[in-house]
Amino acid sequence: SQTIHQWPATLVQPVGSPLSLECTVEGTSNPNLYWYRQAAGRGLQLLFYSVGIGQISSEVPQNLSASRPQDRQFILSSKKLLLSDSGFYLCAWSAGWGRSETQYFGPGTRLLVL
Amino acid sequence: AQTVTQSQPEMSVQEAETVTLSCTYDTSENNYYLFWYKQPPSRQMILVIRQEAYKQQNATENRFSVNFQKAAKSFSLKISDSQLGDTAMYFCALRGSARQLTFGSGTQLTVLP
């Protein structure tokens, strides 16, 4: 069966520091991968998605970036964090293509920028 | 543009009773999928149930079922025999031809003992 991992689970970072969040998927090949952000008490906002190695699409312009160095690895980065980057970051994976594509989520990373 | 609206920020239900969560949406597409996800206190998003817009039969997964009214663009979730473990934030989501899921703002459901 497929599993999705995210780390770290919780992160506290000062403003202006760099960021690297990692997501890995097991048990499937060539998954579609997604990064979402959830602000406190709010719904999810899609940040990036990737359909293959090195292929990244950005949905929301900001100071974050994403990379996919391996088939089942998706990384969310920032060179300098802002206070507004605080939130809950969720990685998701899916297989296939089209409207029936169902996304499955990881356990998330709680980021607090001080 | 797609929108998903959940008009009930909070709801509560007694254990073993039935509760219905509301969701309405707007899309110009004819073929799309609708989903309900739950987010318990651990904050992991868990798929509850999904429905294809072309299927008239309402989806069912054990104690969870939906009432899909395509013309009214309504997609409600019914939870039967509510259990304490059902306490969570519930999100309705829509996926059309665009890659992203459009989420509603969520309904916090509390099951009372």
Side-chain angles (χ1 to χ4, degrees), chain A residues 22-25 30-31 33 50-56 67-75:
Chain A
E22 190 166 343
C23 169
T24 59
V25 181
N30 195 30
L33 296 171
S50 171
V51 299
I53 297 174
Q55 301 178 60
I56 308 295
S67 62
R68 185 168 176 174
Q70 300 181 41
D71 181 44
R72 289 170 288 179
Q73 184 184 33
F74 203 24
I75 297 172

Side-chain angles (χ1 to χ4, degrees), chain B residues 9-10 12 19 21 23 28-29 37-39 42 59 61 69 73 86-88 96-97 99 108 112:
Chain B
E10 296 180 1
S12 62
V19 63
L21 309 183
C23 172
S28 58
E29 301 184 23
Y37 285 89
K38 65 181 279 189
Q39 188 176 39
S42 67
E61 288 287 344
Q69 302 290 329
K73 294 184 177 177
D86 295 332
T87 292
S97 57
R99 172 141 321 252
Q108 175 64 49
L112 304 171

Side-chain angles (χ1 to χ4, degrees), chain A residues 38-106:
Chain A
Q38 183 180 31
R42 305 281 297 275
L44 274 68
Q45 178 187 40
L46 179 65
L47 301 176
F48 301 94
Y49 69 87
S50 171
V51 299
I53 297 174
Q55 301 178 60
I56 308 295
S57 295
S58 173
E59 293 292 317
V60 181
Q62 58 208 324
N63 72 320
L64 298 172
S65 62
S67 62
R68 185 168 176 174
Q70 300 181 41
D71 181 44
R72 289 170 288 179
Q73 184 184 33
F74 203 24
I75 297 172
L76 183 69
S77 303
S78 174
K79 292 182 180 178
K80 288 186 178 182
L81 283 168
L82 307 173
L83 287 175
S84 57
D85 291 324
S86 291
F88 191 63
Y89 289 82
L90 286 155
C91 181
W93 75 273
S94 70
W97 169 261
R99 296 171 179 85
S100 64
E101 173 193 341
T102 299
Q103 296 180 24
Y104 300 94
F105 289 81

Side-chain angles (χ1 to χ4, degrees), chain B residues 11-28:
Chain B
M11 293 189 71
S12 62
V13 62
Q14 289 294 136
E15 193 175 8
E17 294 189 348
T18 296
V19 63
T20 298
L21 309 183
S22 301
C23 172
T24 59
Y25 60 92
D26 191 27
T27 178
S28 58

